[in-house]
Amino acid sequence: MDLARAAGAVWTAQGRVRLRTLVLLRWLAIAGQTAAVLFVQFGLGFDVPLGAALGIIAASAWLNLILMFAFPTQRLLREWEAALQLAFDLVQLAILVGLTGGIANPFLLLLIAPVAVSGVLRSTTTAALTALAFGCVGALAIWAAPLPWAAGEAIVLPELYRWGLATAVLIGLGFTSVYAWRIANEEDRLNAALDAVQTVLAREQKLSALGGLAAAAAHELGTPLATIYLVAKEMGREIEPGSLLHDDVQLLISQSERCREILRQLSSRGDKGDEVHERLPLAALLEEAASPHLAASVEVAFTAEPLPGSESVPPPDIRRLPEIIHGVHNLVENAVGFADTRVDVIGRWSSTVVEIVVRDDGPGFPAGLLNRLGEPYVSARGPDSRGGGLGLGYFIAKTLLERTGARVEHRNRTAPRKGALVRAEWARSAIEAPDITGVRKSGEPSFYDAQPRL
């Protein structure tokens, strides 16, 4: 299922704005509105419709008190509940501005605030609140009380200037609503994508822990199995050969011995084991990461070689990090999905760096996507391409590899070759496993050269 769609459904059902947030913002607005009205009336001596203005402000205060007593402030508001509250705030502020000068009132710009807050809601809700704000500005342009001024004086703004103010506010409303919604939407998409990364990484870490669990299980089972073996041996001494139970007891002893041998081998494999499991030669790591795609319709070829000028440098043993395994796996999966006939997975090393290159002979990255690759939900797969996807594969791969210290870059191969190329480079010290056999000289076999492949 589409991860973004599922996340969106959860947000719609449970809401994403807490009641406490809107109540707090409304209290701040009430305090600011009250201070502004009282300052204009008593500080500047301007004639303000004080009773009506304070009545409109009191309506907001009553709404806050009702909400605070009726619902827990930690409650997540449903979409329509948040929209109604923001619509109330918008209309309340428009009426207050209408009582104090309309579009000639410089505080008209505050109409942008409820629309900006609505950016965390769905696009349709933000659009509806933006349309309501446009309607409020239009109404204020047609009808509004005079702008409060000193007694006996009046200020009349030119009509063209008034419409210019209204136009500026409308543009600000449109820009702010689109910007706020885009930012919230990008955050949602990124959070959903990062959740997918964490899920993948958790699964890989569970798989990585299986070796240690097997060794622990062998250790724990050893004591009861030894007891069973000793009891069976004692029973064998007490039962006369040729009796009905003698063959059964001998079978029990032989099977106990076999179990002991299996557990001994499993425990021994796990003890040196964690060394075997936690480190791999570069070539073996590449093969493990790409092995699920070896049966694909395109050829997947592996190469491990030193970088030019590093022929005398021994190959590294890499720490078996789940991030690297799954990151390279995703890169190969993407390459197989677009390749025509062949995918190359190349590991190179020098004394200071290790790099992994995945390249294919397909059409390459579309020029319009090159600058956006690495963002979630960016995909070049069309309806006719092999496989599908959400555009998360390269994002997950890049994120996981960068967590291990890699620098990941992508480009199209240059003529006459065609296809895409992705390169990940690490400092050798960042991912190389410690040498468990002492310092190796150039050309000497590593610990793993003598180990049987499992």
Side-chain angles (χ1 to χ4, degrees):
M1 295 296 293
D2 190 319
L3 185 61
R5 186 181 303 169
V10 172
W11 283 125
T12 303
Q14 298 183 348
R16 55 180 305 180
V17 179
R18 293 194 184 277
L19 176 61
R20 180 180 62 182
T21 301
L22 293 186
V23 167
L24 176 60
L25 291 175
R26 196 172 293 115
W27 281 126
L28 292 175
I30 290 169
Q33 292 168 2
T34 304
V37 168
L38 296 178
F39 176 74
V40 171
Q41 176 71 33
F42 300 107
L44 300 179
F46 291 176
D47 188 15
V48 176
L50 192 60
L54 292 179
I56 294 298
I57 297 173
S60 283
W62 276 110
L63 175 63
N64 258 7
L65 291 174
I66 292 172
L67 293 174
M68 290 173 64
F69 283 105
F71 305 102
T73 57
Q74 292 293 338
R75 177 172 176 263
L76 285 171
L77 296 174
R78 296 184 178 88
E79 182 94 10
W80 64 270
E81 293 174 325
L84 285 179
Q85 290 196 42
L86 291 173
F88 172 87
D89 294 335
L90 189 58
V91 173
Q92 183 264 355
L93 182 57
I95 295 175
L96 185 61
V97 170
L99 291 173
T100 55
I103 61 174
N105 188 332
F107 290 98
L108 178 69
L109 287 174
L110 293 178
L111 289 176
I112 294 176
V115 176
V117 174
S118 73
V120 300
L121 306 177
R122 288 187 301 175
S123 58
T124 52
T125 304
T126 303
L129 287 171
T130 303
L132 177 61
F134 274 44
C136 291
V137 174
L140 292 175
I142 297 173
W143 174 90
L147 183 68
W149 209 251
E153 300 181 16
I155 181 171
V156 179
L157 298 176
E159 193 70 15
L160 182 61
Y161 184 73
R162 289 164 53 86
W163 284 106
L165 289 176
T167 302
V169 173
L170 292 177
I171 293 174
L173 283 169
F175 175 81
T176 303
S177 62
V178 172
Y179 177 77
W181 176 79
R182 286 283 296 179
I183 292 297
N185 188 51
E186 289 296 327
E187 181 183 3
D188 285 347
R189 289 157 60 90
L190 185 59
N191 286 336
L194 290 175
D195 286 343
V197 173
Q198 293 297 332
T199 301
V200 167
L201 187 55
R203 183 171 66 246
E204 292 296 322
Q205 288 172 337
K206 287 181 181 179
L207 292 175
S208 298
L210 288 179
L213 289 175
H219 176 74
E220 294 296 329
L221 290 173
T223 300
L225 185 59
T227 303
I228 294 172
Y229 177 76
L230 290 175
V231 172
K233 292 282 286 185
E234 292 296 327
M235 291 174 60
R237 295 191 185 98
E238 298 294 332
I239 297 175
E240 296 292 334
S243 66
L244 294 177
L245 295 178
H246 183 268
D247 291 341
D248 291 338
V249 172
Q250 293 303 317
L251 178 62
L252 181 60
I253 293 172
S254 65
Q255 293 302 307
S256 298
E257 290 177 343
R258 183 182 176 191
C259 288
R260 290 179 65 189
E261 179 63 21
I262 292 173
L263 289 181
R264 187 191 65 77
Q265 293 177 2
L266 184 59
S267 178
S268 174
R269 200 177 288 172
D271 289 337
K272 58 180 141 169
D274 279 351
E275 299 168 353
V276 174
H277 188 263
E278 295 300 329
R279 53 190 289 136
L280 284 172
L282 180 58
L285 183 141
L286 297 180
E287 186 173 352
E288 178 179 344
S291 57
H293 306 289
L294 295 181
S297 58
V298 299
E299 179 187 1
V300 180
F302 303 93
T303 306
E305 59 188 16
L307 286 164
S310 301
E311 289 76 8
S312 61
V313 178
D317 287 338
I318 306 300
R319 290 188 292 130
R320 192 185 183 282
L321 299 173
E323 294 94 332
I324 296 180
I325 299 292
H326 198 85
V328 176
H329 167 82
N330 273 13
L331 294 181
V332 176
E333 181 180 24
N334 280 351
V336 168
F338 288 100
D340 290 335
T341 60
R342 181 182 174 93
V343 172
D344 292 302
V345 185
I346 305 169
R348 301 191 182 106
W349 67 86
S350 70
S351 60
T352 57
V353 300
V354 175
E355 69 173 31
I356 295 175
V357 176
V358 179
R359 67 190 185 195
D360 61 71
D361 61 352
F365 298 118
L369 292 183
L370 272 173
N371 291 332
R372 297 182 57 204
L373 285 176
E375 299 177 12
Y377 305 102
V378 174
S379 177
R381 297 184 189 271
D384 299 328
S385 63
R386 289 190 296 270
L390 304 174
L392 286 176
Y394 185 66
F395 167 79
I396 291 176
K398 187 171 186 290
T399 302
L400 291 178
L401 294 176
E402 287 178 345
R403 285 184 59 167
T404 65
R407 182 171 62 90
V408 182
E409 60 182 25
H410 56 268
R411 61 178 175 85
N412 286 326
R413 302 171 71 184
T414 56
R417 300 179 180 88
K418 66 171 186 175
L421 182 147
V422 179
R423 176 176 173 269
E425 181 184 273
W426 293 264
R428 181 163 174 158
S429 58
I431 61 170
E432 186 173 18
D435 188 6
I436 59 177
T437 60
V439 179
R440 278 193 288 132
K441 298 179 181 179
S442 175
E444 288 185 350
S446 71
F447 174 80
Y448 287 90
D449 294 334
Q451 300 302 313
R453 294 189 60 186
L454 303 179

